[in-house]
Amino acid sequence: MDIAVKTKKSWPVRTLVIVFIALVVLALGAYQLWQYSRAELTLKANSLIINQVKRGSFTVTVRGNGVLVPENVQWLSASGDAKVEALLYKPGQEVSRGDEIVRLTNPRLEQQLAETKWELSALEAEHQASDLAEQAAIAQQRADMLNAQMALNGAEHEYQAHLELIETGAVSKLDFQRAKIALEQARQTLASRKEQMAESAKSLKAQQHARFARLNQLKNRVSRIQTQVDELSVRASIDSIILALPVEVGQHVSMGSNIAKLADQGALIAELQVPELQIQQIKVGQKVTIDTQNNQVMGHITRIDPEVMQGNVQVDVAFSEPLPNDARPALSVDGEITIAELDNTLYVSRPLFTQSQSQSSIYKLSSDGLMATRTAVQLGLGSVNYVQIIQGLEEGDQIITSDPSRFESFNQFRIN
């Protein structure tokens, strides 16, 4: 009799592959279920900001806001006590050097000037009259000296004639002695006239010096008062724009009071406020891009304030190119300071609330993007929008850069 023998059939290869794939899917599903079971929080993907780690070059910058201020500011002050008579300009208007900005008045000073000028005119007239009188006296003395010279010449001729005739007996000895005495008298008279003339010249010179001294003293006084009166007109010392006029018409001002504040509009600098946590990266000479909202202008840092005020440090920026037409004092600006140029480095959009050059915790997404896990990351230099990755992340990794306040208490959470 025939005995049936049963043979064991082998599994087809296709069936084995299908079974293997099913097992893998089941394993992955079990793993995801296990991960989900560990996570205590689930957030929607569209409620998060996710960015990818990249490799390449980026510019490290620090941003600060501030205002444009004049580099050259001048205050014009009152030269003496006065009253404001007129304001000829208003703040914001441009003026040229020499333009009258404010007119002051001082009746007492103006009266003093008028009286001093009258006194000077009287002294000049007196000086002129004295000069004429002295010149007349000198002329008379010169005439007297000339007459004495002529009398001496006559006496010499007469004596010489008597000297020749006395030998012949034509004249008496008495007449000869008279001629001799007359000659000596004429000589003494001429000497006296010359001495008188010299003394008069010395006296005249001394009197003239005294009169010139009094006259110059009075002229200086007039000039000084005139200068004070002229300075009652407050004039622009430079081509500038008026920043402030802290006076009103009718107001009394004293010597040294501030009248007008001027600024050279062509010499502006930017004063930026930089957070104190970022100031260690700032150095004098670094390039800065100043944004006036309508234009961008290049400059460089010239000064870093040594003090911290309200969490910020002031940085002064000088411009290296002409300013645009919209630039003016007190204009609000933004500045972006270039710290460094990084090449072939890992970087990512700056996560909220992270600091450059620090150890930070960042939420990194899993490869499938369904889980976010807290990861320790070493950050390097950073700019306004990006930060360098030193350690903890790789190129292509995805991280959460939005506000972590909703999930920062969890080490891991799910993403739908």
Side-chain angles (χ1 to χ4, degrees):
M1 125 182 156
D2 294 333
I3 299 175
V5 179
K6 293 183 180 180
T7 60
K8 189 175 182 180
K9 294 182 180 180
S10 61
W11 289 77
V13 174
R14 183 177 180 183
T15 303
L16 292 175
V17 171
I18 293 174
V19 171
F20 176 75
I21 293 174
L23 291 174
V24 169
V25 170
L26 289 173
L28 290 175
Y31 175 76
Q32 293 296 333
L33 290 174
W34 177 70
Q35 291 281 14
Y36 283 159
S37 64
R38 293 176 58 195
E40 300 177 1
L41 176 69
T42 301
L43 297 176
K44 293 183 178 180
N46 58 11
S47 68
L48 303 171
I49 299 176
I50 299 172
N51 285 280
Q52 189 176 36
V53 178
K54 301 177 182 179
R55 179 176 293 276
S57 303
F58 82 97
T59 302
V60 181
T61 60
V62 170
R63 180 166 291 177
N65 53 26
V67 295
L68 297 183
V69 297
E71 188 175 17
N72 181 14
V73 176
Q74 294 186 4
W75 272 103
L76 304 180
S77 58
S79 60
D81 295 342
K83 180 181 179 181
V84 179
E85 183 178 90
L87 300 178
L88 306 179
Y89 287 88
K90 294 181 179 180
Q93 289 185 294
E94 295 183 7
V95 292
S96 300
R97 182 175 182 178
D99 288 347
E100 186 178 13
I101 301 174
V102 178
R103 183 178 301 134
L104 305 177
T105 182
N106 186 330
R108 181 188 60 79
L109 189 62
E110 293 169 355
Q111 179 64 27
Q112 185 180 2
L113 176 62
E115 292 176 354
T116 308
K117 284 184 175 180
W118 296 335
E119 186 179 351
L120 177 61
S121 297
L123 186 60
E124 287 177 338
E126 181 182 342
H127 181 69
Q128 186 176 5
S130 299
D131 281 346
L132 291 175
E134 289 170 351
Q135 290 175 7
I138 291 295
Q140 182 60 46
Q141 290 179 354
R142 188 176 292 110
D144 292 342
M145 188 176 66
L146 182 59
N147 291 334
Q149 181 66 53
M150 294 175 64
L152 176 60
N153 293 339
E156 287 178 344
H157 288 301
E158 185 175 356
Y159 173 76
Q160 190 66 31
H162 280 70
L163 183 61
E164 294 175 355
L165 293 175
I166 196 171
E167 295 178 355
T168 62
V171 293
S172 64
K173 291 182 178 181
L174 182 59
D175 290 337
F176 175 74
Q177 290 296 328
R178 288 175 179 171
K180 186 177 181 180
I181 293 172
L183 175 61
E184 185 62 28
Q185 288 177 343
R187 286 176 177 170
Q188 291 180 359
T189 299
L190 180 60
S192 176
R193 293 286 185 269
K194 287 183 177 180
E195 183 178 357
Q196 186 179 1
M197 185 74 175
E199 293 298 326
S200 296
K202 291 179 181 179
S203 176
L204 175 62
K205 189 174 182 179
Q207 291 177 12
Q208 286 180 335
H209 279 315
R211 285 197 298 271
F212 276 122
R214 291 195 299 271
L215 191 63
N216 288 334
Q217 182 181 18
L218 193 55
K219 284 182 177 179
N220 290 336
R221 184 182 176 191
V222 170
S223 177
R224 184 173 64 255
I225 299 175
Q226 182 67 62
T227 299
Q228 292 176 342
V229 172
D230 293 340
E231 288 178 350
L232 291 174
S233 295
V234 180
R235 299 180 181 274
S237 55
I238 55 174
D239 295 342
S240 55
I241 184 173
I242 301 175
L243 295 183
L245 285 173
V247 292
E248 298 178 354
V249 174
Q251 177 181 340
H252 288 273
V253 295
S254 58
M255 178 182 293
S257 298
N258 289 330
I259 301 298
K261 184 180 182 181
L262 306 182
D264 184 355
Q265 193 170 4
L268 299 177
I269 64 172
E271 290 183 350
L272 301 180
Q273 302 298 322
V274 176
E276 60 178 319
L277 295 177
Q278 297 176 313
I279 198 63
Q280 70 272 12
Q281 304 178 66
I282 307 300
K283 297 180 181 178
V284 172
Q286 288 175 333
K287 295 181 180 179
V288 185
T289 302
I290 298 297
D291 187 354
T292 66
Q293 312 307 323
N294 294 319
N295 297 277
Q296 289 189 342
V297 193
M298 295 302 299
H300 60 276
I301 296 176
T302 58
R303 189 184 75 90
I304 302 172
D305 198 286
E307 295 185 2
V308 178
M309 299 293 291
Q310 298 180 350
N312 294 315
V313 176
Q314 179 176 307
V315 174
D316 293 350
V317 178
F319 295 99
S320 53
E321 58 186 34
L323 291 172
N325 294 331
D326 63 337
R328 61 188 65 253
L331 178 68
S332 297
V333 296
D334 293 324
E336 194 166 323
I337 305 168
T338 300
I339 304 302
E341 299 282 349
L342 299 180
D343 297 323
N344 191 27
T345 186
L346 291 176
Y347 67 95
V348 71
S349 293
R350 181 189 287 273
L352 202 62
F353 306 134
T354 57
Q355 297 294 333
S356 302
Q357 296 179 317
S358 66
Q359 186 77 25
S360 182
S361 294
I362 294 176
Y363 285 87
K364 173 185 172 183
L365 271 64
S366 60
S367 58
D368 56 11
L370 298 178
M371 295 293 295
T373 304
R374 192 195 304 270
T375 303
V377 176
Q378 180 66 40
L379 302 179
L381 295 175
S383 65
V384 177
N385 299 316
Y386 298 98
V387 65
Q388 182 186 24
I389 303 298
I390 303 297
Q391 188 177 4
L393 296 175
E394 299 293 337
E395 182 179 0
D397 287 346
Q398 289 185 314
I399 65 170
I400 297 175
T401 57
S402 53
D403 184 0
S405 57
R406 293 181 296 165
F407 47 81
E408 61 184 353
S409 60
F410 299 91
N411 289 327
Q412 192 178 54
F413 62 87
R414 294 187 298 272
I415 299 176
N416 286 336

